[in-house]
Amino acid sequence: MPGQTYAMGDAHGDGVRADGEQPVHDVRIPAFRIDATSVTVAGFRSFIEATGFRTDAERYGWSAVFHLALTDPDHVAGRMHGTPWWLGVEGADWAHPGGPSDTAVDDHPVVHVSWNDAQAYCSWAGRRLPSEAEWEAAARGGLASRRYPWGDELPEDGHAVNIWQGDFPVRNTGADGWITTAPVRSFQPNGYGLWQAVGNVWEWCADWFSPVYYAQSPVDDPRGPSTGSAKVIRGGSYLCHDSYCNRYRNAARSSNTPDSSTGNTGFRTVAA
């Protein structure tokens, strides 16, 4: 990615106030190198085989699976409070995304990885997680203040991004070709060569999350608050839909605790 100054944040008023996507503010970042895709199942397996690392999901014995992705109904430990379409599934992890009988596909993004797991991978690979400002610059692909990596509008044919199509959370038509994750090199890359910066899977960033940080952010290479309870995730996922989670946008942001893992969260890395 070239060094640049760009307008970070939601210029269209699309975001939820609690997410803190505004005010739009200039940030200046130096050049950096970022993965063209989310880290794949195959790439993460190489890390596991080399180190013997056990992910948070494996240590806890369960992870969060979307109800339509469930493969093992007899392994459901419970439903998530407030979001009953999320199930706590015993044996769900990076290698078994739908449950213990499911097998992850090598060219899909690895999921069920916590921020802690992503950090461990980065340490092994000699990489790091992107700052939130780096992530957004890369996702924008050189297009200033656009909603999406390709422009402001979703193509009518639905074939630009892997998101939910249908009635959330009960029926996904799969009009984009996928019900859950898609291979990392699906659709088209943006102007910087990044594949699926939005949709498919949420991606961890290095920063702590704060909904008021943008009002305090420095211009030069911001790295987020010094402390917090949750880490930033970016890009939305295959579960995003206008009726519930309109976060498959360049400016959209959310968060989760560093030890949390779900079937729609992965990561990409940058050069250390």
Side-chain angles (χ1 to χ4, degrees):
M1 302 298 108
Q4 59 191 274
T5 299
Y6 76 98
M8 184 176 182
D10 173 22
H12 300 271
D14 296 325
V16 177
R17 181 179 293 273
D19 289 348
E21 296 181 25
Q22 293 180 332
V24 176
H25 56 291
D26 282 348
V27 298
R28 183 166 47 243
I29 55 174
F32 65 100
R33 297 183 64 85
I34 188 168
D35 292 336
T37 73
S38 304
V39 173
T40 64
V41 170
F44 198 76
R45 181 182 295 110
S46 296
F47 157 61
I48 296 295
E49 290 176 347
T51 64
F53 181 81
R54 294 186 71 221
T55 62
D56 280 332
E58 290 170 293
R59 293 191 302 104
Y60 294 147
W62 67 278
S63 189
V65 176
F66 186 69
H67 72 115
L68 296 185
L70 178 68
T71 59
D72 297 81
D74 56 339
H75 282 73
V76 174
R79 293 179 181 269
M80 303 301 170
H81 178 69
T83 53
W85 47 86
W86 280 110
L87 309 174
V89 178
E90 296 169 344
D93 57 37
W94 71 272
H96 310 94
S101 70
D102 194 19
T103 301
V105 181
D106 277 359
D107 65 348
H108 283 232
V110 67
V111 292
H112 295 294
V113 287
S114 69
W115 186 89
N116 298 328
D117 302 332
Q119 285 287 91
Y121 173 94
C122 287
S123 295
W124 169 77
R127 308 280 289 178
R128 62 176 175 86
L129 291 174
S131 71
E132 187 176 14
E134 288 173 331
W135 188 96
E136 186 171 320
R140 290 188 176 281
L143 298 181
S145 300
R146 302 299 189 187
R147 280 191 176 94
Y148 310 113
W150 56 84
D152 281 336
E153 303 298 329
L154 283 175
E156 292 185 3
D157 64 9
H159 287 102
V161 58
N162 180 16
I163 55 176
W164 186 277
Q165 292 155 323
D167 302 317
F168 187 87
V170 296
R171 184 181 65 92
N172 187 347
T173 66
D176 55 30
W178 306 94
I179 298 297
T180 60
T181 59
V184 295
R185 293 182 184 269
S186 300
F187 309 105
Q188 295 295 320
N190 72 6
Y192 287 154
L194 271 70
W195 298 77
Q196 297 193 83
V198 301
N200 212 24
V201 295
W202 286 101
E203 295 180 351
W204 289 109
C205 291
D207 308 34
W208 290 109
F209 175 82
S210 168
V212 300
Y213 180 69
Y214 281 11
Q216 309 159 0
S217 173
V219 171
D220 285 311
D221 199 18
R223 297 298 173 114
S226 58
T227 61
S229 60
K231 292 290 187 176
V232 172
I233 51 176
R234 282 300 206 117
S237 80
Y238 60 82
L239 294 180
C240 280
H241 185 268
D242 285 353
S243 67
Y244 176 70
C245 175
N246 180 23
R247 294 186 177 92
Y248 50 95
R249 296 174 288 106
N250 293 326
R253 59 200 303 257
S254 191
S255 64
N256 209 340
T257 55
D259 61 349
S260 293
S261 61
T262 67
N264 67 336
T265 303
F267 66 107
R268 75 178 74 207
T269 72
V270 302

